[in-house]
Amino acid sequence: MHKPPFSTMSLYKNSSFLVLLVLNIFANVSSDGVNPTVLDSAAKLRQSPAAAVTSPVFNAGADSIFSLNLLSSFPEDLEISDYCRDLLNIFRQRCVAHVNCLVSSARPVKICQNCFSSNASLNEIYMNISDKMGPGNASCRDSLLRSDRLMVVYLLYSNLKDLWSKANCDNCITKGFQSLTNDTLYYMTTLNQTLACFEKYPQGNYTELCKNCKNGYKELNELYSGMEKNATMCIDIEDAMNLTRRLWSNFTCSIPREETVPVIAVSSFMLFLPIIFYLSSFLHSEQKKRKLIHPKRAKSYTSLVNIQDKLS
């Protein structure tokens, strides 16, 4: 008699039975030996394969050996030292503090003036991890920065450093991240005075505002242009100037810019240049006509021709 092929359902039933049998053995082992209820449970499982689905062993909320956390530790030679673990914890705290400062200062942009202290603290702990030696000349560079493919600590620090560099914050901060530069402080003072002047006048009374705040706004623009040329400007100053100019444009005030005067002069000269060219050409040609004199040789040649005609 031909036997039916071995079905996947039979394989599933037998596999489930074996797995649960092993699990029940481990779960019911006591200090004296094997719990006698294991065999009963195994027998019931063989009789009812559906019990594999509803077995309390697979309950995610129950205590079992399927815990998602790693309960056992790696050998000591693979673990990082206590010194490196302390540095990692300090880096975590300072990284969180710096990111919180950056996010809270995102709009309006004030990351350079508000976060230079947290940035300096983050740089300090990263230098301790990458360069300095701990007790017993132990280095944390390899264990914390290069021990895996992802390199989380290095990647986090690099991204934050890249953001700080794109913001050009070093242009507004003194060396050593101690304070803002004098140029930045003076610009911020002038900006606050200009904004205070705007706030003196109620909304709609723009005539007095344009008259009394014009000089302060003009000085602020001159400071900004100078810092832009000298490369002493950071994102805080750039964003503050953009917002101030947008605010000034709402007042419908007009201030002639000094650089527009040469542009107008050159444009006017280029406009009248063709007229000047054609006029000078015309006058020059008329002068040439007045000075044109027929040579005597040409006159003698004409007379000679007339004589020859008569003789012929």
Side-chain angles (χ1 to χ4, degrees):
M1 182 177 181
H2 180 69
K3 295 182 180 180
F6 187 71
S7 63
T8 57
M9 182 59 71
S10 299
L11 177 61
Y12 171 76
K13 293 179 180 179
N14 293 332
S15 300
S16 301
F17 166 73
L18 292 176
V19 171
L20 290 178
L21 178 61
V22 173
L23 293 178
N24 279 278
I25 291 175
F26 277 104
N28 293 281
V29 170
S30 61
S31 59
D32 296 331
V34 180
N35 195 319
T37 58
V38 174
L39 298 178
D40 295 337
S41 300
K44 292 180 180 179
L45 179 62
R46 182 181 294 275
Q47 295 175 1
S48 179
V53 180
T54 60
S55 175
V57 178
F58 291 93
N59 189 356
D63 294 334
S64 66
I65 63 171
F66 282 107
S67 176
L68 298 179
N69 296 323
L70 187 62
L71 300 180
S72 60
S73 60
F74 290 107
E76 293 183 359
D77 56 342
L78 298 179
E79 293 280 359
I80 62 175
S81 62
D82 293 338
Y83 171 74
C84 295
R85 191 176 300 278
D86 292 339
L87 290 181
L88 182 62
N89 187 45
I90 296 174
F91 177 84
R92 175 186 62 82
Q93 295 174 356
R94 295 186 180 183
C95 185
V96 170
H98 188 51
V99 171
N100 287 337
C101 182
L102 293 176
V103 174
S104 60
S105 304
R107 294 302 311 162
V109 182
K110 296 181 180 180
I111 62 175
C112 298
Q113 53 187 311
N114 291 344
C115 305
F116 68 89
S117 179
S118 61
N119 182 72
S121 299
L122 185 64
N123 289 338
E124 179 185 8
I125 188 60
Y126 186 82
M127 292 300 105
N128 291 340
I129 294 175
S130 60
D131 296 336
K132 291 188 177 181
M133 308 295 291
N137 293 330
S139 175
C140 300
R141 177 189 299 179
D142 294 335
S143 61
L144 297 182
L145 303 182
R146 303 176 180 176
S147 60
D148 55 81
R149 179 180 61 85
L150 189 57
M151 298 185 295
V152 177
V153 175
Y154 172 78
L155 189 62
L156 285 174
Y157 178 78
S158 298
N159 289 335
L160 292 175
K161 185 179 180 180
D162 184 59
L163 187 148
W164 189 264
S165 177
K166 288 182 179 179
N168 295 322
C169 288
D170 291 340
N171 294 337
C172 296
I173 309 298
T174 59
K175 293 183 178 181
F177 303 99
Q178 299 296 326
S179 63
L180 299 174
T181 60
N182 293 332
D183 292 341
T184 303
L185 292 174
Y186 183 70
Y187 177 86
M188 292 299 175
T189 302
T190 307
L191 174 63
N192 291 334
Q193 292 175 354
T194 304
L195 296 178
C197 183
F198 293 167
E199 294 175 355
K200 289 181 180 179
Y201 301 94
Q203 186 176 5
N205 188 13
Y206 295 153
T207 303
E208 293 294 325
L209 185 149
C210 296
K211 178 180 178 182
N212 297 327
C213 302
K214 178 177 64 177
N215 293 332
Y217 178 75
K218 183 179 180 181
E219 182 182 359
L220 188 67
N221 274 281
E222 292 175 353
L223 284 176
Y224 179 82
S225 300
M227 297 180 73
E228 188 176 15
K229 293 178 181 178
N230 299 331
T232 58
M233 182 179 62
C234 59
I235 187 62
D236 292 20
I237 296 177
E238 181 180 349
D239 186 71
M241 191 70 242
N242 289 337
L243 293 177
T244 306
R245 285 176 174 174
R246 288 172 55 186
L247 186 61
W248 180 262
S249 64
N250 295 334
F251 303 146
T252 62
C253 301
S254 60
I255 295 181
R257 300 174 63 91
E258 294 181 358
E259 58 265 24
T260 59
V261 176
V263 175
I264 295 175
V266 172
S267 301
S268 301
F269 175 76
M270 295 298 294
L271 180 64
F272 288 100
L273 186 61
I275 300 175
I276 297 174
F277 173 76
Y278 286 112
L279 182 62
S280 61
S281 299
F282 175 76
L283 295 177
H284 185 70
S285 62
E286 288 294 329
Q287 188 177 6
K288 286 290 185 181
K289 288 181 181 179
R290 294 193 190 100
K291 291 184 179 180
L292 185 62
I293 301 176
H294 296 284
K296 295 181 180 181
R297 184 178 298 177
K299 184 176 180 181
S300 301
Y301 176 77
T302 304
S303 301
L304 181 61
V305 171
N306 292 333
I307 295 173
Q308 290 179 352
D309 291 338
K310 290 179 180 181
L311 292 177
S312 59

